[in-house]
Amino acid sequence: MTRSAFLRARRPEHKQQRREAILAAARELARTSGVRNVSLGAVAEAVGLAKSNIVRYFGTREEIYLELLVDEWHQWGEAVAERLRTVASTAEAMTALAETIADRPLFCDLLGHASTSLEHNVSVPAARAFKHAVLDQVRAMGAELARATDLTEREGAELVGAASGLAGMLYPAANPPPALAQVYAEDPELAATCPVLLPTLLRALSALAAGLPTLRER
């Protein structure tokens, strides 16, 4: 959409189109460059707006990415719910959790930046809305896990939270920057310390799923 088209937008539906265009541009930039490398100016340029116009819809760059992160949470939840319809064991449920999150690199990238940067430059209303949205999604997914396994809803929610936290931590380690990638290529001993996202995540979730029931109050 052109700059002139944006400037003429006045109706609610046009404003919603503008928000969606901003989110789409931010999403594409993050996919190609990584979340940490995208500035508000880059998003503004991609949609043909001045930064001062962007902040009428999102107070900061971080608020844009928190909204995208909520959307990624919803998409992950839908994918997990679909997979859980056909699982026959807790082990299969953990595989579903691990595979569906590993298949979402943007989600993993956003998770890795959520607590370290994205939550640090937002308004109180934006922070509250984000936290409630994630909490609702974790609870819903925990309930889905409980229906598909012998886990309780609380244990299911704990596993969902663990999966998201581990994915956010493991993703940057499993996708090292160029200098580290070269180091790993040249040094097999160090390369062995670089985690592979899916098997590492699956092993950790499987151990947690096995251990949580043993901590139930008798």
Side-chain angles (χ1 to χ4, degrees):
M1 190 174 291
T2 65
R3 180 184 293 269
S4 60
F6 272 126
L7 292 176
R8 287 194 299 269
R10 292 293 182 270
R11 297 179 184 177
E13 60 268 29
H14 293 164
K15 293 178 181 179
Q16 182 59 31
Q17 289 172 2
R18 186 176 295 186
R19 283 180 59 88
E20 291 173 358
I22 292 168
L23 289 168
R27 181 187 295 275
E28 185 59 29
L29 287 167
R31 281 176 171 163
T32 56
S33 303
V35 173
R36 69 186 298 271
N37 296 314
V38 182
S39 66
L40 187 62
V43 176
E45 182 178 358
V47 293
L49 283 171
K51 286 195 292 185
S52 59
N53 286 330
I54 293 285
V55 299
R56 294 177 183 176
Y57 297 88
F58 300 94
T60 63
R61 163 194 174 274
E62 288 75 16
E63 289 185 14
I64 295 172
Y65 280 110
L66 285 186
E67 186 153 335
L68 286 175
L69 180 49
V70 168
D71 184 56
E72 290 288 324
W73 266 101
H74 287 149
Q75 291 185 40
W76 182 43
E78 291 172 359
V80 170
E82 179 67 26
R83 286 283 299 272
L84 290 179
R85 294 191 183 102
T86 59
V87 304
S89 66
T90 299
E92 289 182 3
M94 294 307 99
T95 299
L97 270 185
E99 289 182 347
T100 52
I101 201 169
D103 284 343
R104 289 168 167 74
L106 176 59
F107 186 31
C108 294
D109 194 10
L110 287 164
L111 287 169
H113 288 90
S115 61
T116 59
S117 63
L118 299 183
E119 296 176 353
H120 289 244
N121 186 31
V122 297
S123 67
V124 170
R128 181 179 292 112
F130 169 71
K131 287 297 188 181
H132 273 296
V134 173
L135 178 59
D136 290 346
Q137 190 64 42
V138 169
R139 286 173 172 168
M141 293 176 69
E144 291 281 354
L145 276 172
R147 283 190 286 270
T149 67
D150 293 328
L151 298 167
T152 66
E153 290 191 10
R154 177 180 175 180
E155 290 163 355
E158 287 179 296
L159 282 163
V160 171
S164 64
L166 287 167
M169 178 184 69
L170 288 169
Y171 180 77
N175 295 274
L180 272 181
Q182 181 176 338
V183 168
Y184 292 148
E186 296 171 353
D187 192 326
E189 182 179 10
L190 291 178
T193 68
C194 180
V196 180
L197 178 59
L198 179 56
T200 306
L201 180 59
L202 179 56
R203 181 177 175 84
L205 291 177
S206 298
L208 284 170
L212 281 172
T214 69
L215 302 177
R216 293 174 187 167
E217 293 183 4
R218 301 298 181 184

